[in-house]
Amino acid sequence: MQSRIRDVRKAKGLTLADVAARCRPATTAQTIGRLETGMRVLSLIWINRIADALGVDSSDLVALPDQHYLPVAAVLHDDGTHAPTREERIMVPNIGGSMIGLRIAATSGEYRRGDELWMEQLQPDAFATALNLDVLVPRPGGRFLFGRLLGREDGKLHILPLEAGARQQVVADPAWIAKAVRLMRTL
């Protein structure tokens, strides 16, 4: 089994020490480094601890045989664009069963026509993880509300639609919502 811990950690801009401190219970940067490189056995317990520390599903940390990567040709820094100092890859995300898509057909807020959003479906006990994020909320009759989740109070969600001048909407707790996790945009 090949680990994707380093790829996920770097994609999130975290150091070994950051991940070690976020683990429960906390561990050392050296331990995380050894788990990343295969110098230490990566057990299911470690996969779950590190996934929690990185805020991802444990399946995102395991490279599958058919997993695809994009090779990194250059890295944009404050002082310009340079070739990477060692081989780097960008992982193509695993699409789990809780992912759905939203296609943008008309410009709205920061989204442009043609954008696609990858969204993670959440059950009511996880709604708080979407606070201040853009969410898709199912409504009766096959309709949806899309906007920023401002809060949840007394069994109701407070959503601010993205259109300029739109008024806040209040929705009784739906069975699920989906939070935007990845924007796909053609340049």
Side-chain angles (χ1 to χ4, degrees):
M1 169 175 64
Q2 186 178 359
S3 164
R4 293 174 46 179
I5 296 170
R6 176 177 283 144
D7 295 330
V8 174
R9 176 178 60 79
K10 287 187 174 270
K12 292 190 168 272
L14 299 172
T15 66
L16 292 170
D18 294 335
V19 176
R22 290 178 177 201
C23 280
R24 296 291 167 246
T27 188
T28 65
Q30 183 180 28
T31 298
I32 300 299
R34 287 180 175 164
L35 290 164
E36 278 187 358
T37 60
M39 298 286 288
R40 183 168 175 177
V41 175
L42 184 60
S43 67
L44 186 56
I45 291 170
W46 273 113
I47 289 172
N48 289 332
R49 279 179 68 188
I50 294 170
D52 287 344
L54 291 169
V56 298
D57 288 333
S58 55
S59 64
D60 292 332
L61 300 182
V62 180
L64 304 173
D66 59 348
Q67 184 68 46
H68 298 285
Y69 295 90
L70 298 174
V72 173
V75 179
L76 178 62
H77 293 277
D78 291 336
D79 64 344
T81 306
H82 308 283
T85 56
R86 60 185 159 91
E87 179 184 356
E88 290 188 38
R89 305 175 300 172
I90 296 173
M91 65 178 184
V92 177
N94 290 330
I95 299 175
S98 65
M99 296 294 286
I100 61 173
L102 174 65
R103 182 168 288 129
I104 309 297
T107 298
S108 180
E110 61 193 58
Y111 300 108
R112 301 180 198 157
R113 179 187 171 122
D115 286 352
E116 295 174 346
L117 287 177
W118 293 13
M119 306 192 81
E120 178 185 0
Q121 271 188 297
L122 302 172
Q123 298 304 310
D125 62 339
F127 286 179
T129 66
L131 282 173
N132 297 315
L133 298 176
D134 294 338
V135 296
L136 181 68
V137 181
R139 303 293 304 264
R143 299 178 60 203
F144 292 89
L145 175 61
F146 181 63
R148 181 75 37 107
L149 177 59
L150 299 177
R152 182 180 187 194
E153 185 179 326
D154 298 326
K156 295 180 179 157
L157 298 179
H158 299 267
I159 310 289
L160 181 61
L162 302 178
E163 298 82 24
R167 301 182 82 168
Q168 177 177 311
Q169 302 285 318
V170 178
V171 180
D173 270 344
W176 60 270
I177 64 172
K179 70 178 176 180
V181 294
R182 188 169 299 261
L183 169 65
M184 304 300 288
R185 176 174 286 164
T186 303
L187 300 177

